[in-house]
Amino acid sequence: MSQQQWNTVDDYLNSLLVPADEALRAALRDIEAAGLPRISVAPNQGKLLHLLARIQGARRILEIGTLGGYSTIWLGRALPADGRLISLEANASYAEIARANLARAGLADRTEVRVGPALDSLARLIADGAEPFDLVFIDADKPNNPHYLERALELTRPGSLIVGDNVVRDGDVVDAGSTDPSIRGTRRFLELLAENPKLSATALQTVGVKGYDGFALARVIA
Ligand code: SAH
Ligand code: DHB
Ligand code: MG
């Protein structure tokens, strides 16, 4: 099976089940035009995040890693009118693009992009006694994933859902001796999911326009 086949199948599935509207199209166009890395979730992955948030009945969503706000639009669209999404982004110019994309999608009233290292923003949320989030999407710098998980556990409640992107990385995740900080962070993240009796977790391999990768899903059970 080749990348070309994965692309063809993703194109088929997306055209059938995940038609783009003007706000999504414009967001991807502006992300591309601004030269941001081409690492937004794929359309069918964005829709998966949207469906998970809906199934979860999420009223409060936390995203770690905004980029241009493409995944943020999918998650934000799952919120009720009085819902709230906070997305954390280190790069101020990416955050500006994301805010414009969210405004064009009609989500400015319920979404907020906070600029700065996510660990700082998370510490602030915890210090401020933020209400628990119903869903946390972890998709920033992978070496920090173990820390993001620990902070996410302080910002959630029993029943919350934690989703992690990019946990397979072309299969590199099985390399126990890897010195790549992203692989080490991902492996520690998965180990923490496994070890924590307060979490019920799984992980799935995915193929498609984003290559061969995967998602981790964890429900806070206590
Ligand atoms: N969730 C987005 C993609 C995020 S890409 C989508 O699917 O549409 C990862 C993002 O994390 C990048 O924008 C990068 O700037 C940001 N990032 C990397 N390190 C970070 C850090 N320490 N704190 C906050 N954001 C960070
Ligand atoms: C990369 C980061 C991502 O969040 C992603 O979905 C794909 C690739 C990267 O840094 O290479
Ligand atoms: Mg990602």
Side-chain angles (χ1 to χ4, degrees), residues 58-60 79-85 109-110:
R59 305 182 71 82
R60 289 179 53 81
L79 288 170
D82 62 346
R84 187 115 200 106
L85 183 156
D109 61 335
R110 65 199 81 171

Side-chain angles (χ1 to χ4, degrees), residues 28 31 36-42 45-46 49 63-75 87-92 94-95 114-121 137-144 148 165-166 210:
L28 287 178
I31 287 167
L36 270 52
R38 304 173 73 152
I39 56 177
S40 306
V41 293
Q45 296 176 338
L49 294 172
E63 177 176 66
I64 307 175
T66 317
L67 193 69
Y70 181 75
S71 55
T72 324
I73 293 175
W74 279 112
L75 287 166
S87 188
L88 310 180
E89 174 53 53
N91 184 307
Y94 294 0
R114 295 196 180 176
V115 176
L119 285 177
D120 294 353
S121 301
F137 178 45
I138 302 177
D139 189 23
D141 48 328
K142 313 312 173 191
N144 270 323
Y148 294 149
D165 193 17
N166 311 116
K210 291 204 65 187

Side-chain angles (χ1 to χ4, degrees), residues 106-181:
L107 293 167
D109 61 335
R110 65 199 81 171
T111 59
E112 180 188 346
V113 182
R114 295 196 180 176
V115 176
L119 285 177
D120 294 353
S121 301
L122 290 164
R124 174 66 56 85
L125 282 165
I126 292 165
D128 288 351
E131 265 179 68
F133 292 91
D134 307 305
L135 189 156
V136 181
F137 178 45
I138 302 177
D139 189 23
D141 48 328
K142 313 312 173 191
N144 270 323
N145 269 4
H147 306 297
Y148 294 149
L149 178 62
E150 281 171 13
R151 303 298 189 280
L153 289 169
E154 296 184 63
L155 289 163
T156 47
R157 50 150 181 97
S160 294
L161 179 67
I162 298 170
V163 180
D165 193 17
N166 311 116
V167 300
V168 173
R169 288 299 180 97
D170 284 316
D172 292 348
V173 69
V174 299
D175 182 0
S178 176
T179 54
D180 178 340

Side-chain angles (χ1 to χ4, degrees), residues 149 153 160-164 167 189-204 215-221:
L149 178 62
L153 289 169
S160 294
L161 179 67
I162 298 170
V163 180
V167 300
F189 173 73
L190 292 169
E191 287 160 13
L192 290 170
L193 292 183
E195 284 165 11
N196 192 326
K198 294 181 176 174
L199 291 172
S200 172
T202 189
L204 292 174
F215 287 101
L217 299 176
R219 183 171 204 258
V220 181
I221 53 177

